[in-house]
Amino acid sequence: MKKFFPLMHLQLVLPVLLGGTHYLLPAQQVVSDFDQIPELLESLSLDAESSADDSAFPLESLSGSLERYLENPLNLNIANEEQLAELGLLSTIQLAAVINHRVQYGDLLSVYELQSVRSFETGDIERLIPFITVGSAAERSRAPWTQQLFGGTRQLILRYSSVIEDPEGYTRPDSLRGYLGNRASIQVRYRYNFGNRISYGFTAEKDPGEAWFGSYQPRGFDFYSAHFYTRDLGRLRDLCVGDYELRIGQGLVWWSGFGFRKSATPMEVQKTGRPLGPYSSINENRFLRGAAARLRMGPVELTLFGSYKSLDANPTESGDSVNTTPETITAFIDDGLHRTENELQKKDVTKETIAGANFSFQYRKVRVGLMASHIRYNLALNLADLPYNRYSFSDNNLSNASLHYSGNWHNISFFGETALSGNGSFALLNGMLASLHPRMDLSVVHRHFDKAYHALYAAPFGEQIVGRNERGLYLGIALRPARAFTLNAYADIYSHPWLRFSADGPSRGRDYLVQLGWSPSRNTLLYLRARHEIKEENAPDNETELDILTDFRRTSLRINLSAKLSPEIKVQSRVEGVWTDHGNQTPESGLLIFQDIQWSPERLPFVLTARYALFDAESFDARIYSFENDVLYAFSIPFFSDRGSRYYLLARFKISRWLDVYTRFARTGYSNRESTGTDLDLIEEPHRSEIKILLRLKW
């Protein structure tokens, strides 16, 4: 009986939600442009789909930004270069083309006039329409301060999720030290916005297994975050108090929030956007806590920032008492999990103090900036004495400086940054985007990150997110050979001069991608994507004292069709295969097939999205990632290995103008395993099920 519990759960929940539909709003108010945001995020998530470290690809910040633009569309006729870049959906070439078009021909009369602008295709325009306008701008800046502070929109979000089965960590007796809390994940978020001008709010979050109140967590939630942010107050361009994001140059020293990495859109390689912004995500590490301000005086800008916060770390074992204050730490812990006594002992072990400034100057279409910052920890980092740690940061002080630039010349955009760390090592990145023909764009990015370069908040464009021990050259091309056809491709050739995880020696790699798209109408898109990667890694099952490097080859092929069959029904179908070959091991393969359907009935006030997937991957190396729709501000990119099936059902209900309800049920079952998970997450059943419920009150 227990194995049918998830189905019974849905049978109980859905009738309750569906039964009251005569109290709900008409369907046309439920199906909003917000439903397009997941499709945009999926198109940008290629790198997250191919990496186990998707925490470095924060889609949540971009989703929140796009939702604000849904409510307050960006006016293309008055937006400057920075505001266009902040939207996050335009390449640098497209951004420059819009501004040049306005200079030559005046204001746009319609968003569809973008069809006559260089580097824009119909698909690009359809993607932008919900977030842009060419109408008159609202006079928000002239509203009284009391109205700006209290007359905007507010939303309160309550989110609950839980695994339905019984993982090992929740069933162990206290004497065996399982998880300290229950299996629920709980999040509370309040946000106030006056357009894009003022934002303030707070976030509170508890992860599954973490204690909630009680002796282990007397503060209630495990993580709290709050911010106040305002912008465009004369010379004061940005002011952040509390938790905030910082983005400077090309991310060689500072970059938090969303930033492009390798994807199937090869022109989106330059990091752009507003340097400062509010932080409202639930990642417990990659943000700053304190205050920051950006001032502009004519062509000159000055950004000042400071931060002080506690960080999780692994304390050095020294002394005969567990209460002895550690003198050093052996590693930073960035997963934000505090579910056991051992994990709690690593919480807030060290204190981090940050101070810095960024000075920039703009002359015509060129901007040049100089940044300097310093980070200090009250405990020194003392890494384990392992070969691949030889050039890693190991101290309690870190200074950085960088020179960064960007500009446009005719149909060419150029950008770059050169950075130094306190030990004298450097990193540099230079790139160019060129519109060579109305139907052809080219991107080039060169990078050289020294093996001993240190920057703890770096997130530059590259194969690795850490921004060190890497050299590479990236070439991308976007072709529009004929109406309805697009051809995107890139080649990335790179090397790692020193050891890295899974490679006990200097190594090299190559990454190639080609995607052919066909969109015969605005409602249909078919694409074929092929990707081939070769990278040197430790030989499997090597028994010699030193690991031997061999080529690890991975080839993937994807066929994807998405279509809107009617005003009520959208479908997406995908077949994806992966083939791997590593040294003398037997080649392995993986296969994923899924079918999506979204139903938006005209006379019923809800939207239903469902997926059914079958997978068969022979090993972890042959795993396949896939982006999934989720509740508001939540994102799921699971990977599939072994053999089995997965399905999920997502429902969105518009109860009233001020209340939205999201529910999601997902279940993965395996046909060749008798359990899932490991250690405290072990489930002694061949399936794993999860339910999520989210309420959003908006007024």
Side-chain angles (χ1 to χ4, degrees):
M1 186 68 180
K2 186 175 182 180
K3 66 185 295 185
F4 297 108
F5 175 74
L7 181 59
M8 294 175 60
H9 192 93
L10 285 178
Q11 291 173 340
L12 291 174
V13 172
L14 291 179
V16 172
L17 294 173
L18 295 175
T21 55
H22 58 283
Y23 294 108
L24 309 183
L25 289 181
Q28 57 266 30
Q29 297 186 30
V30 180
V31 186
S32 68
D33 292 315
F34 177 81
D35 298 304
Q36 297 185 25
I37 294 179
E39 298 177 12
L40 294 175
L41 299 180
E42 180 177 10
S43 68
L44 299 173
S45 65
L46 169 65
D47 195 77
E49 288 185 353
S50 61
S51 169
D53 184 21
D54 59 344
S55 62
F57 198 84
L59 298 172
E60 184 177 353
S61 60
L62 179 60
S63 175
S65 174
L66 291 177
E67 188 184 9
R68 291 192 293 275
Y69 281 112
L70 282 178
E71 298 178 352
N72 303 278
L74 181 67
N75 192 328
L76 294 183
N77 287 327
I78 64 174
N80 58 29
E81 183 175 349
E82 180 183 87
Q83 292 167 333
L84 290 171
E86 187 182 1
L87 181 61
L89 299 178
L90 295 172
S91 69
T92 306
I93 290 178
Q94 292 174 325
L95 184 153
V98 170
I99 294 177
N100 290 337
H101 184 88
R102 288 190 336 216
V103 172
Q104 294 181 25
Y105 304 106
D107 289 351
L108 285 79
L109 302 179
S110 166
V111 293
Y112 289 101
E113 192 176 335
L114 290 174
Q115 294 179 86
S116 63
V117 178
R118 194 183 185 106
S119 298
F120 279 89
E121 287 294 310
T122 303
D124 300 324
I125 300 169
E126 295 295 339
R127 181 177 68 170
L128 288 169
I129 283 177
F131 312 103
I132 59 174
T133 183
V134 295
S136 58
E139 295 293 334
R140 290 185 174 272
S141 61
R142 300 182 182 179
W145 266 105
T146 53
Q147 180 180 346
Q148 295 188 40
L149 287 172
F150 307 107
T153 60
R154 301 166 177 82
Q155 64 176 4
L156 177 65
I157 293 175
L158 309 174
R159 190 175 88 193
Y160 167 90
S161 65
S162 176
V163 175
I164 293 178
E165 291 84 0
D166 295 319
E168 175 74 14
Y170 304 103
T171 59
R172 285 185 178 182
D174 294 340
S175 60
L176 295 181
R177 298 190 176 184
Y179 290 142
L180 301 173
N182 58 42
R183 71 190 71 180
S185 171
I186 301 173
Q187 183 185 136
V188 178
R189 177 184 304 193
Y190 171 80
R191 186 76 175 260
Y192 170 88
N193 286 99
F194 187 79
N196 288 322
R197 187 176 176 84
I198 292 179
S199 170
Y200 56 81
F202 70 87
T203 301
E205 187 253 358
K206 165 200 172 306
D207 289 310
E210 293 178 340
W212 198 31
F213 294 98
S215 58
Y216 287 107
Q217 190 55 264
R219 298 187 307 165
F221 290 92
D222 177 72
F223 175 69
Y224 290 94
S225 175
H227 73 269
F228 174 85
Y229 170 77
T230 186
R231 59 189 277 181
D232 301 330
L233 302 177
R235 293 181 177 178
L236 182 62
R237 308 304 294 168
D238 297 284
L239 174 65
C240 297
V241 179
D243 296 346
Y244 62 94
E245 296 178 342
L246 179 64
R247 297 173 284 268
I248 295 178
Q250 294 303 306
L252 288 184
V253 183
W254 292 101
W255 198 273
S256 54
F258 180 80
F260 291 115
R261 295 179 67 193
K262 287 189 287 188
S263 74
T265 50
M267 293 303 104
E268 295 173 337
V269 295
Q270 179 182 359
K271 291 184 181 293
T272 59
R274 212 169 183 98
L276 294 175
Y279 181 80
S280 59
S281 184
I282 57 174
N283 183 297
E284 301 182 21
N285 295 279
R286 290 193 68 85
F287 65 93
L288 284 80
R289 174 168 289 173
R294 181 167 66 116
L295 303 170
R296 176 179 293 174
M297 294 156 283
V300 175
E301 274 192 6
L302 177 63
T303 301
L304 302 172
F305 56 94
S307 173
Y308 178 81
K309 72 175 189 287
S310 300
L311 288 179
D312 295 356
N314 190 28
T316 303
E317 297 180 2
S318 60
D320 50 9
S321 172
V322 295
N323 296 319
T324 300
T325 302
E327 298 180 354
T328 62
I329 56 178
T330 60
F332 294 113
I333 309 297
D334 58 6
D335 58 15
L337 299 175
H338 309 107
R339 305 162 298 177
T340 64
E341 292 184 4
N342 183 51
E343 291 176 346
L344 274 176
Q345 290 175 0
K346 302 175 183 179
K347 180 178 173 62
D348 298 341
V349 167
T350 187
K351 308 296 181 184
E352 177 191 68
T353 304
I354 298 172
N358 182 58
F359 173 84
S360 64
F361 178 82
Q362 182 161 0
Y363 177 72
R364 296 184 178 178
K365 294 183 179 182
V366 178
R367 176 171 290 277
V368 179
L370 181 64
M371 189 284 309
S373 65
H374 183 75
I375 303 177
R376 183 183 185 279
Y377 299 97
N378 67 323
L379 300 177
L381 178 64
N382 185 16
L383 295 177
D385 187 17
L386 297 173
Y388 65 81
N389 282 335
R390 180 175 179 180
Y391 295 102
S392 299
F393 173 72
S394 187
D395 200 350
N396 68 331
N397 287 278
L398 176 61
S399 296
N400 288 98
S402 79
L403 176 69
H404 52 91
Y405 69 92
S406 62
N408 298 297
W409 181 71
H410 295 286
N411 294 324
I412 299 176
S413 297
F414 48 89
F415 56 92
E417 183 175 11
T418 300
L420 290 172
S421 55
N423 60 358
S425 298
F426 72 96
L428 62 87
L429 183 149
N430 294 283
M432 179 193 71
L433 298 166
S435 181
L436 304 179
H437 184 273
R439 294 187 177 274
M440 181 173 66
D441 300 326
L442 177 71
S443 62
V444 181
V445 180
H446 172 263
R447 58 196 187 273
H448 181 117
F449 308 148
D450 193 84
K451 59 188 176 184
Y453 173 74
H454 302 147
L456 300 179
Y457 283 84
F461 181 88
E463 173 67 15
Q464 301 180 115
I465 191 66
V466 294
R468 67 179 179 88
N469 189 32
E470 182 174 322
R471 301 171 185 172
L473 179 64
Y474 172 97
L475 300 174
I477 189 169
L479 298 173
R480 298 168 289 278
R483 185 182 180 278
F485 285 93
T486 59
L487 179 64
N488 294 339
Y490 73 70
D492 186 31
I493 302 172
Y494 56 87
S495 65
H496 305 291
W498 186 244
L499 285 62
R500 60 183 176 86
F501 183 74
S502 76
D504 293 343
S507 57
R508 298 173 297 176
R510 288 159 286 169
D511 184 4
Y512 309 101
L513 180 141
V514 177
Q515 177 171 301
L516 176 64
W518 177 55
S519 181
S521 70
R522 58 180 294 183
N523 295 325
T524 304
L525 172 62
L526 172 68
Y527 72 79
L528 173 65
R529 177 186 298 171
R531 189 179 188 185
H532 181 61
E533 300 173 85
I534 306 172
K535 60 178 66 177
E536 293 179 326
E537 295 187 348
N538 293 334
D541 303 324
N542 183 60
E543 298 181 357
T544 61
E545 184 176 353
L546 294 177
D547 281 319
I548 301 172
L549 298 185
T550 58
D551 284 345
F552 174 71
R553 301 172 183 269
R554 179 183 172 93
T555 303
S556 62
L557 182 64
R558 173 188 296 182
I559 302 175
N560 191 95
L561 173 65
S562 57
K564 190 171 184 178
L565 303 182
S566 72
E568 294 186 350
I569 297 178
K570 293 170 62 177
V571 297
Q572 181 181 7
S573 306
R574 178 178 299 175
V575 178
E576 182 165 1
V578 170
W579 297 266
T580 65
D581 185 3
H582 195 181
N584 295 324
Q585 280 194 327
T586 303
E588 297 170 325
S589 62
L591 177 66
L592 171 68
I593 302 173
F594 73 66
Q595 178 63 54
D596 286 356
I597 184 168
Q598 184 180 89
W599 180 38
S600 309
E602 293 184 0
R603 299 183 180 275
L604 295 176
F606 60 83
V607 177
L608 294 179
T609 304
R611 169 177 295 181
Y612 184 75
L614 297 172
F615 58 90
D616 186 356
E618 293 181 287
S619 70
F620 180 77
D621 285 341
R623 66 194 181 278
I624 301 177
Y625 288 82
S626 179
F627 184 96
E628 294 182 350
N629 289 336
D630 211 318
V631 300
L632 186 65
Y633 300 136
F635 302 96
S636 178
I637 309 178
F639 69 83
F640 301 97
S641 61
D642 291 309
R643 184 182 302 117
S645 64
R646 177 174 172 85
Y647 65 87
Y648 71 81
L649 178 64
L650 173 66
R652 179 188 178 196
F653 301 87
K654 190 76 172 177
I655 305 299
S656 68
R657 295 184 184 277
W658 52 270
L659 177 61
D660 292 323
V661 177
Y662 293 76
T663 61
R664 185 180 191 265
F665 176 80
R667 180 183 174 99
T668 304
Y670 298 91
S671 60
N672 63 338
R673 292 165 53 175
E674 296 183 356
S675 63
T676 64
T678 59
D679 196 24
L680 294 180
D681 292 322
L682 176 66
I683 298 173
E684 295 289 355
E685 297 181 83
H687 52 76
R688 186 180 187 276
S689 309
E690 182 186 41
I691 187 168
K692 291 183 182 179
I693 300 175
L694 182 144
L695 305 178
R696 179 172 71 165
L697 292 85
K698 195 170 184 179
W699 67 99

